[in-house]
Amino acid sequence: PAIARRLHHCRDLGEPFDFLTWFDFSVKDEGRFDELLARLRETEEWKYVEREVEVRVERDSSPL
């Protein structure tokens, strides 16, 4: 898929978040990811999100 997701349950680890979700996508699919994120934020379930932190990291693909 253009966008892959990994969901980690953190509640039992004593972390401040219940879940940590890692999305992996290429730079060319960033627009598709933004659309997906907008649709997720419009869902009924999103009303239960009390705090959200978004961090985007890009891999450096240049040779060493």
Side-chain angles (χ1 to χ4, degrees), residues 3 23 25 28-43 54 56:
I3 302 169
F23 292 96
F25 55 93
K28 69 179 178 65
D29 292 315
E30 186 172 10
R32 293 173 75 182
F33 174 73
D34 291 334
E35 291 173 15
L36 171 67
L37 196 53
R39 289 196 325 252
L40 287 171
R41 288 175 173 146
E42 292 174 354
T43 64
E54 182 177 325
R56 294 193 185 202

Side-chain angles (χ1 to χ4, degrees), residues 17-19 40-41 43-53:
F17 296 99
D18 290 339
F19 299 98
L40 287 171
R41 288 175 173 146
T43 64
E44 182 71 25
E45 291 84 4
W46 203 267
K47 292 178 182 177
Y48 296 99
V49 174
E50 296 175 359
R51 185 172 63 160
E52 172 188 1
V53 176

